[in-house]
Amino acid sequence: MSVPRATETGGLATETGGRRMETTAPAAPRPRAHRRADRSGRRAPSHPDRLPSRLLTPVLGAGRRPPDGGSTTAHELAVRHRLLLALSALLTLSLFLSYEGVHGDANPLRTSSAPAVLYIDTALYALGQAQQDAGAAAPTSDFQKQISVAAQSLASAARDDIGGPAARQALQTVAGLITVYAVRVQQAQLVSGDRVLHDAYLSYATSVLEDRGSGILARLKVLQKQQRAAVHRQTSFGELLWLGWSTTLLLAVALAVALLETQRFLRRRFRRRYNRQLLAATALLPGGLAVSVLFTLWTHQGMEHTRDLLDRPLAGRLITEAGRDTAAHLAHTGFRAGAAVWILIGGILLMALAETGLRRHIDDYRFRPR
């Protein structure tokens, strides 16, 4: 009778009729991945879904990856979750600052800088007309009318709070000098029979108006130059704005790619065709960005047209036409500037959609980093 007995090599030893025979059990086949690694000398490539998480884990701090062979679903979800929230927050901040960089100057331009240029142009034109009537033999209504127009224009400019305290002080000084000028012209007209006294009063009035250093016209031209500089500053699209909008567009593209990649990842892992929250975020992103860019283009074009309109001497009827055109170019800028708050609301909504779209899956695969 033969009795099988295990051997040290893992085979079987059978004793039959005093003779001992050994057989060796066949070795179990190695996994295909190991055989492939042995033949090539390299590890098998990682799953394509794991590549983004390998690159972004150090940046986003999504915890340590599970060891090879373990489930990485929770880790992949955490990486994508943090990436979507981070990109949404950065995009919201960049878009808000870039939008405000353009629209934040539209309201001061419409309510202060542009009207100030027109008020000063009106005062300069009225004083020029008054000077033509100053040599009349008797006081005329036209002279008084032009002086009143100049004084009222400067009062309106001061009421609009242009240029800060220094500009307001300069306007008050000019208003006082206009009063002195008008009084001296009236005195000259009242003593028109005394040629010497008439010429003296008129010469003094002319010096008050036209003195190159401290005359009314010289002071008004300095103020006009300052206000035109303010218009140029408020309507310029400088390097910082170009950088801000370029960064915004890059972040928008990165977020769109991340949303589409996350949608693809969920489809592969959970066999769900679409994630409605991520689809809503994908639709909200280009829609909100397009409206913001369109509003910015309209506002900036109106500001550029206003600058071109005011960057030249204006007189007479041209001043009235320029005021009407300026109001048309800058119409609705206040409404568009107020839309900046919707950028913040849209950013919060984007983050909420990303959160709710992934939260259920994250809760199903909750893990603790070791």
Side-chain angles (χ1 to χ4, degrees), residues 96 99-108 110 292 295-296 298-299 303 330-343:
F96 179 80
Y99 190 87
E100 275 291 297
V102 176
H103 294 264
D105 289 327
N107 192 57
R110 178 176 60 87
S292 300
F295 278 10
T296 301
W298 287 345
T299 297
M303 295 169 72
L330 299 178
H332 310 300
T333 53
F335 168 77
R336 293 195 287 266
V341 68
W342 288 101
I343 294 177

Side-chain angles (χ1 to χ4, degrees), residues 63-315:
R64 192 170 55 184
R65 285 181 54 82
D68 291 338
S71 175
T72 62
T73 302
H75 183 78
E76 302 286 344
L77 285 170
V79 169
R80 285 163 175 81
H81 175 251
R82 295 193 180 191
L83 177 63
L84 291 179
L85 292 182
L87 286 177
S88 298
L90 289 175
L91 174 61
T92 302
L93 178 63
S94 178
L95 179 58
F96 179 80
L97 294 177
S98 301
Y99 190 87
E100 275 291 297
V102 176
H103 294 264
D105 289 327
N107 192 57
L109 176 65
R110 178 176 60 87
T111 60
S112 178
S113 302
V117 173
L118 294 174
Y119 287 142
I120 295 174
D121 282 338
T122 301
L124 286 170
Y125 176 74
L127 289 172
Q129 293 298 109
Q131 180 65 5
Q132 294 179 7
D133 298 327
T140 62
S141 60
D142 288 341
F143 177 82
Q144 294 296 333
K145 179 181 177 180
Q146 298 301 334
I147 291 297
S148 297
V149 169
Q152 185 177 0
S153 298
L154 296 181
S156 298
R159 186 172 58 249
D160 286 344
D161 195 21
I162 68 166
R168 291 195 298 273
Q169 181 64 39
L171 285 174
Q172 293 175 1
T173 302
V174 171
L177 290 175
I178 288 177
T179 302
V180 173
Y181 168 75
V183 169
R184 292 294 180 264
V185 169
Q186 290 172 353
Q187 288 175 336
Q189 292 174 341
L190 290 174
V191 295
S192 57
D194 188 342
R195 194 65 186 174
V196 175
L197 191 58
H198 173 271
D199 291 344
Y201 281 133
L202 197 58
S203 175
Y204 181 76
T206 303
S207 66
V208 170
L209 179 66
E210 298 179 352
D211 185 82
R212 292 185 178 181
S214 58
I216 295 173
L217 298 181
R219 292 174 186 269
L220 285 178
K221 288 179 180 178
V222 169
L223 285 173
Q224 184 184 55
K225 184 178 179 180
Q226 292 174 353
Q227 292 307 307
R228 283 180 176 165
V231 169
H232 276 264
R233 184 172 61 254
Q234 291 166 346
T235 57
S236 65
F237 201 91
E239 295 180 356
L240 287 178
L241 283 177
W242 279 112
L243 177 62
W245 280 102
S246 299
T247 302
T248 298
L249 294 178
L250 289 176
L251 288 172
V253 171
L255 180 57
V257 171
L259 285 168
L260 294 175
E261 196 280 333
T262 303
Q263 188 78 253
R264 172 180 171 274
F265 169 79
L266 296 178
R267 185 176 181 179
R268 290 174 61 92
R269 289 293 176 95
F270 301 102
R271 299 294 185 264
R272 295 179 61 89
R273 189 170 184 181
Y274 299 114
N275 184 292
R276 287 177 295 179
Q277 290 85 353
L278 295 186
L279 279 180
T282 306
L284 175 64
L285 173 61
L289 184 63
V291 172
S292 300
V293 171
L294 191 60
F295 278 10
T296 301
L297 286 176
W298 287 345
T299 297
H300 186 63
Q301 286 177 355
M303 295 169 72
E304 282 188 328
H305 292 326
T306 299
R307 180 187 62 200
D308 295 340
L309 189 63
L310 300 180
D311 200 19
R312 57 192 176 92
L314 298 173

Side-chain angles (χ1 to χ4, degrees), residues 304-366:
E304 282 188 328
H305 292 326
T306 299
R307 180 187 62 200
D308 295 340
L309 189 63
L310 300 180
D311 200 19
R312 57 192 176 92
L314 298 173
R317 188 173 299 176
L318 293 177
I319 298 175
T320 304
E321 294 177 357
R324 184 171 56 250
D325 292 341
T326 296
H329 292 322
L330 299 178
H332 310 300
T333 53
F335 168 77
R336 293 195 287 266
V341 68
W342 288 101
I343 294 177
L344 300 178
I345 295 174
I348 294 173
L349 183 57
L350 268 179
M351 289 186 280
L353 289 171
E355 172 68 22
T356 56
L358 294 179
R359 176 52 56 188
R360 180 169 61 86
H361 299 297
I362 291 175
D363 290 341
D364 289 342
Y365 284 84
R366 188 178 298 277

Side-chain angles (χ1 to χ4, degrees), residues 18-42:
R19 298 179 62 183
R20 186 170 180 273
M21 301 177 62
E22 292 187 3
T23 60
T24 303
R30 287 179 296 176
R32 181 176 300 176
H34 289 181
R35 293 202 304 270
R36 185 166 67 250
D38 291 344
R39 287 197 302 267
S40 62
R42 295 176 298 180

Side-chain angles (χ1 to χ4, degrees), residues 51-65:
L51 182 58
S53 65
R54 289 182 182 275
L55 298 176
L56 297 172
T57 294
V59 178
L60 300 174
R64 192 170 55 184
R65 285 181 54 82

